[in-house]
């Protein structure tokens, strides 16, 4: 990948479109340069607040990264509008925040101080249709504990104002999940073999295989897991020491839970990719089997013609064996020669 510089990032952000491929490509580039997460977030926020002067018509409708949000509904707001352009910036931030958790917490921490104002800025310039998509991003962050409750509450306030944003009830989540499953079950374009191989390779370093973290979680002292043991705290020093242990345990578990949630989404996405790939292969197999039968019939007909032709050739005379009665240089006599007295 190309080297990082603020100028390079500004150029890439100026070329960012609302297509899934554009968002994912830039997201991967940012995660690759995660050691520059602070200047990346600074440039991202600065470019977000600029007046976007651009022409042309955006191609297609943006569908968010299925492995991150499991969204299947296209953005309903106008594809040429400035608010939608800004909304794409937030989709980029979402993709970076969630997918970078496998690598480290840099982007989650560095986006935290600016993400609330970014939500407020974009929300103030979008219509209700686009706000629904922001709300979906927020609900995913809430369910996966991407940020602490105080940050989530500020995001709700930025998005909904004085209206109390309620977390979706369990029944509603089930309905949404069922709708997503049914829509995702519809036939879609099969993945490229390279994409399928890459998805399988990504799971080789999945969170569930992180033995070091498993060991750290297994080694957590019982004091941080049992409320009943708090009665043993008798002085401030031991209380503060336990508080530090509890905070570390919370960070460890919250981060690992986020990585596991991302892995689950990746595995769901891989399952869908494999299903699409298998469906495509079955269709191709049926088509090739049909073609094979068709060509077998053609071969049988051609073979019959060959057999019949050989039989007929055997019964025909061989003209090449007839004697040459004219010779190679003999000419017919002239009329004068025929009636000559000689």
């Amino acid at each position: 990948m190309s080297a990082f510089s603020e100028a390079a990032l500004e150029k890439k952000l100026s070329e960012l479109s609302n297509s899934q491929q554009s968002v994912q490509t830039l997201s991967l580039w940012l995660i690759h340069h995660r050691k520059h997460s602070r200047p990346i977030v600074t440039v991202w926020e600065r470019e977000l607040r600029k007046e976007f002067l651009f022409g042309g018509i955006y191609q297609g409708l943006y569908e968010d990264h299925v492995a991150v949000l499991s969204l299947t509904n296209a953005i309903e707001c106008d594809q040429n509008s400035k608010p939608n352009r800004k909304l794409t910036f937030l989709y980029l931030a979402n993709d970076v925040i969630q997918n970078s958790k496998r690598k480290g917490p840099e982007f989650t921490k560095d986006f935290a101080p600016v993400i609330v104002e970014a939500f407020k800025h974009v929300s103030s310039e979008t219509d209700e249709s686009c706000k629904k998509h922001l709300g979906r991003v927020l609900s995913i962050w809430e369910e996966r504990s991407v940020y602490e409750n105080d940050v989530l509450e500020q995001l709700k306030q930025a998005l909904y104002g004085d209206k109390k944003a309620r977390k979706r009830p369990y029944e509603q989540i089930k309905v949404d999940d069922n709708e997503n499953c049914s829509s995702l079950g519809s036939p879609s374009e099969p993945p490229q073999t390279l994409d399928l191989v890459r998805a399988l390779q990504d799971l080789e370093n999945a969170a569930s295989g992180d033995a070091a973290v498993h060991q750290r979680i297994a080694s957590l002292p019982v004091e941080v897991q049992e409320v009943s043991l708090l009665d043993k705290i008798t002085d401030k020093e031991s209380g503060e020491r336990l508080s530090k242990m509890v905070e570390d345990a919370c960070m460890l578990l919250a981060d690992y839970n986020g990585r596991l949630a991302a892995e689950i989404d990746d595995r769901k996405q891989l399952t869908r990719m494999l299903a699409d790939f298998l469906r495509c292969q079955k269709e191709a197999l049926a088509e090739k089997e049909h073609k094979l039968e068709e060509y077998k019939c053609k071969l049988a007909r051609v073979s019959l013609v060959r057999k019949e032709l050989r039989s007929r050739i055997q019964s025909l005379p061989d003209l090449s064996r007839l004697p040459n009665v004219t010779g190679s240089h003999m000419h017919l006599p002239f009329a004068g020669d025929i009636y000559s007295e000689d």
Side-chain angles (χ1 to χ4, degrees):
M1 293 188 178
S2 59
F4 172 80
S5 69
E6 291 193 7
L9 176 55
E10 289 175 359
K11 184 175 185 297
K12 289 180 180 293
L13 288 173
S14 69
E15 297 171 348
L16 178 67
S17 75
N18 61 348
S19 69
Q20 179 182 357
Q21 182 179 1
S22 178
V23 172
Q24 291 177 358
T25 300
L26 183 51
S27 174
L28 289 173
W29 187 82
L30 295 176
I31 293 173
H32 178 74
H33 295 289
R34 62 188 180 279
K35 65 180 181 180
H36 303 288
S37 59
R38 287 188 179 181
I40 285 175
V41 172
T42 300
V43 174
W44 175 88
E45 183 187 24
R46 184 174 68 237
E47 295 300 306
L48 171 69
R49 294 181 176 277
K50 279 185 178 180
E51 291 292 328
F52 290 98
L53 301 176
F54 58 98
I57 299 177
Y58 279 110
Q59 55 182 8
L61 298 175
Y62 175 78
E63 294 179 356
D64 195 19
H65 186 16
V66 180
V68 176
L69 292 180
S70 300
L71 293 177
T72 57
N73 295 326
I75 295 178
E76 300 169 358
C77 52
D78 185 279
Q79 295 302 303
N80 295 320
S81 64
K82 181 172 67 177
N84 181 62
R85 169 76 166 166
K86 293 174 182 278
L87 185 61
T88 305
F89 267 54
L90 283 180
Y91 275 119
L92 173 65
N94 168 71
D95 199 281
V96 170
I97 290 170
Q98 294 210 57
N99 284 316
S100 66
K101 290 179 74 69
R102 303 178 183 86
K103 307 284 188 179
E106 297 95 335
F107 280 109
T108 305
K109 293 180 179 178
D110 291 334
F111 268 109
V114 304
I115 200 66
V116 173
E117 288 302 318
F119 256 70
K120 187 182 299 183
H121 174 70
V122 176
S123 176
S124 65
E125 299 190 12
T126 55
D127 56 22
E128 290 302 320
S129 176
C130 290
K131 284 183 180 180
K132 289 181 182 179
H133 298 283
L134 282 176
R136 176 59 175 155
V137 173
L138 179 54
S139 66
I140 291 293
W141 288 1
E142 186 175 14
E143 290 164 15
R144 296 179 183 172
S145 301
V146 173
Y147 284 112
E148 299 295 332
N149 288 336
D150 59 336
V151 176
L152 293 172
E153 288 300 323
Q154 293 178 53
L155 289 171
K156 292 178 187 178
Q157 181 69 23
L159 184 57
Y160 302 109
D162 295 332
K163 298 178 181 178
K164 182 66 175 179
R166 297 178 300 170
K167 191 172 182 178
R168 294 181 302 158
Y170 176 68
E171 295 78 7
Q172 183 64 41
I173 294 175
K174 287 171 59 178
V175 170
D176 288 351
D177 290 344
N178 289 336
E179 289 177 352
N180 284 336
C181 289
S182 62
S183 60
L184 289 171
S186 59
S188 57
E189 288 295 322
Q192 298 295 322
T193 304
L194 183 60
D195 294 335
L196 192 57
V197 171
R198 188 180 295 114
L200 288 166
Q201 290 175 337
D202 288 342
L203 288 176
E204 292 181 358
N205 299 319
S208 58
D210 194 336
V213 175
H214 292 173
Q215 182 61 37
R216 289 178 61 191
I217 294 176
S219 302
L220 288 175
V222 67
E223 290 84 358
V224 305
Q225 305 175 58
E226 295 292 339
V227 177
S228 60
L229 297 180
L230 294 179
D231 295 335
K232 295 183 178 181
I233 301 298
T234 57
D235 59 90
K236 187 175 181 180
E237 182 180 354
S238 59
E240 291 179 349
R241 185 166 56 249
L242 179 59
S243 177
K244 177 66 166 58
M245 293 170 59
V246 170
E247 287 295 328
D248 291 343
C250 283
M251 289 293 295
L252 173 65
L253 290 168
D255 181 70
Y256 190 62
N257 286 344
R259 292 173 61 197
L260 281 177
E263 179 186 339
I264 289 172
D265 280 336
D266 285 347
R267 291 189 181 278
K268 287 180 179 178
Q269 171 69 356
L270 177 60
T271 300
R272 287 187 287 269
M273 292 174 67
L274 289 170
D276 289 337
F277 187 80
L278 181 60
R279 172 183 56 78
C280 177
Q281 293 304 310
K282 287 182 177 179
E283 292 174 355
L285 175 62
E287 180 185 353
K288 302 315 177 194
E289 287 177 340
H290 177 74
K291 284 292 183 182
L292 177 60
E293 292 302 318
E294 178 184 337
Y295 292 145
K296 280 183 177 180
C297 292
K298 287 186 178 183
L299 175 60
R301 292 196 297 269
V302 173
S303 297
L304 182 60
V305 171
R306 181 178 64 175
K307 181 179 179 181
E308 182 65 23
L309 179 61
R310 285 179 176 177
S311 176
R312 294 193 181 193
I313 289 175
Q314 292 297 327
S315 63
L316 292 174
D318 188 355
L319 298 180
S320 65
R321 295 191 177 189
L322 293 177
N324 187 351
V325 296
T326 62
S328 58
H329 301 290
M330 186 174 292
H331 301 284
L332 292 176
F334 295 102
D337 294 335
I338 294 176
Y339 296 104
S340 174
E341 293 180 358
D342 296 336

